């Protein structure tokens, strides 16, 4: 104590704030329902066990040899060619289609949106039958196209691309529709007030805004096309070198060469896993 007042050293220190439990400590002491944990474990088992069986039975020593066999190499090349072409077609058709659904006031656009996304829930085999009835030789359009323009789609390589487009296009339309619906339209309106025409607004403003969703939708459409089986085998058949893609080659190899079937399956699994990891922030969140 000094003459001028209390000494600073005599002032008692403030009481220490109570220590807060760390998040790690809280998680460590948290109890989870046993029923939910058991069901979650069974769910993981259902997904992981088949993949583990595929890896365990893989002929690692002869993997390159099996994949380089002429028939398998043809299936690989055809799958890559058709799936990439399908992704390009989906972009060319899907972006305008999604724009019409989200940016116009045309009557029936909601019905149009429902119809364009129907193949997502439609069994692929049903899609193949529908394609035959529309574009087959005796279909609604198939006979006309072949007689008038000499274009034959059923049981041809273009038929594979058409079948893959049928099942893959809705995935890109959904991705673009969601982006167009969530993006602020003020920039588009500002461009119009500055004299930009509809095409310039779309090309210079709208398209850059939805570019991330466009890339994600195109990759998803490509991956879906790469794994397409039901509609392809029904509409395009299973002809080596012409319509036999990797999924069809796996199906045929199961009866004659199981090791080749496992090798081709590993390629498809690796591609699918790479797509999910590469696009996880947009589709599944951080892994």
């Amino acid at each position: 104590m000094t003459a001028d007042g209390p000494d600073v050293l005599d002032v008692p220190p403030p009481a220490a704030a109570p220590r807060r439990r760390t998040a790690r400590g809280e998680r460590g002491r948290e109890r989870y329902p046993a029923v939910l944990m058991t069901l979650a474990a069974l769910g993981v088992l259902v997904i992981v066990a088949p993949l583990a069986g595929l890896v365990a039975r893989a002929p690692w020593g002869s993997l390159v040899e099996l994949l380089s066999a002429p028939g398998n190499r043809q299936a690989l090349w055809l799958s890559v060619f058709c799936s990439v072409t399908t992704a390009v077609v989906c972009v060319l058709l899907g972006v305008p289609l999604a724009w019409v659904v989200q940016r116009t006031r045309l009557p029936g656009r909601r019905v149009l949106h429902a119809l364009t996304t129907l193949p997502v829930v439609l069994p692929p085999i049903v899609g193949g039958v529908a394609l035959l009835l529309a574009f087959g030789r005796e279909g609604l359009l198939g006979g006309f196209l072949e007689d008038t323009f000499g274009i034959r789609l059923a049981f041809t390589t273009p038929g594979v691309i058409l079948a893959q487009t049928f099942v893959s296009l809705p995935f890109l339309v959904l991705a673009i529709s969601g982006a167009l619906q969530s993006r602020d339209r003020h920039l588009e309106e500002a461009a119009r007030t500055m004299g930009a025409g509809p095409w310039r607004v779309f090309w210079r403003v709208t398209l850059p805004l939805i570019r991330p969703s466009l890339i994600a939708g195109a990759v998803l459409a490509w991956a879906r096309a790469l794994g397409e089986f039901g509609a392809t085998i029904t509409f395009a058949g299973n002809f080596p070198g012409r319509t036999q893609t990797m999924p069809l080659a796996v199906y045929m190899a199961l009866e004659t060469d199981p090791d080749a079937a496992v090798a081709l399956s590993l390629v498809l699994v690796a591609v699918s896993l790479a797509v999910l990891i590469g696009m996880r922030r947009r589709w599944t969140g951080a892994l």
Side-chain angles (χ1 to χ4, degrees):
M1 187 75 176
T2 62
D4 297 331
D7 194 343
V8 175
L9 297 178
D10 294 338
V11 178
R19 296 181 60 185
R20 299 181 61 183
R21 291 181 298 176
T22 62
R24 179 177 300 179
E26 292 177 353
R27 288 197 298 265
R29 285 187 289 270
E30 186 175 354
R31 298 181 63 182
Y32 302 103
V35 175
L36 295 181
M37 295 299 293
T38 302
L39 293 176
L42 290 176
V44 172
L45 181 65
V46 169
I47 296 174
V48 174
L51 300 177
L54 189 65
V55 173
R57 293 292 302 272
W60 297 108
S62 57
L63 188 63
V64 176
E65 180 182 354
L66 289 170
L67 293 177
S68 59
N72 296 335
R73 190 169 60 247
Q74 284 182 340
L76 284 167
W77 163 247
L78 186 65
S79 292
V80 172
F81 171 76
C82 290
S83 60
V84 171
T85 305
T86 296
V88 174
V89 173
C90 286
V91 170
L92 293 176
L93 302 180
V95 174
L97 185 55
W99 181 86
V100 168
V101 171
Q102 295 295 334
R103 288 290 192 265
T104 67
R105 299 181 181 275
L106 295 177
R109 59 190 180 91
R110 296 186 183 277
V111 176
L112 177 63
H113 188 254
L115 290 176
T116 54
T117 55
L118 180 62
V120 173
V121 296
L122 194 68
I125 190 70
V126 177
V129 173
L131 287 169
L132 273 176
L133 296 177
F135 297 102
R137 183 64 183 86
E138 304 298 330
L140 294 176
L141 300 175
F144 171 77
L145 291 175
E146 188 169 349
D147 296 338
T148 306
F149 303 102
I151 299 176
R152 182 183 177 188
L153 295 174
F155 307 106
T156 63
T157 302
V160 175
I161 297 172
L162 178 59
Q164 292 180 350
T165 301
F166 177 79
V167 300
S168 302
L169 183 60
F171 292 92
L172 188 133
V173 172
L174 288 173
I176 301 301
S177 296
L180 289 173
Q181 189 174 16
S182 61
R183 293 296 186 273
D184 193 349
R185 303 182 63 173
H186 289 166
L187 292 177
E188 295 172 320
E189 295 173 356
R192 294 190 188 96
T193 59
M194 296 177 65
W199 172 251
R200 189 175 180 84
V201 171
F202 171 79
W203 184 256
R204 299 297 297 273
V205 180
T206 306
L207 204 57
L209 287 175
I210 64 172
R211 184 179 292 116
S213 297
L214 174 60
I215 295 174
V219 173
L220 183 57
W222 170 76
R224 178 64 184 87
L226 188 66
E228 163 52 30
F229 176 83
T232 302
I233 196 172
T234 306
F235 178 65
N238 186 20
F239 302 101
R242 190 172 67 185
T243 64
Q244 187 180 82
T245 57
M246 287 176 62
L248 275 63
V250 170
Y251 178 76
M252 296 301 297
L254 280 175
E255 300 180 358
T256 59
D257 191 355
D259 286 344
V262 174
L264 290 171
S265 298
L266 282 175
V267 174
L268 291 174
V269 170
V271 171
S272 302
L273 185 61
V275 169
L276 287 176
I277 292 176
M279 309 303 294
R280 66 185 181 275
R281 294 184 182 278
R282 182 162 300 276
W283 298 338
T284 60
L287 294 179

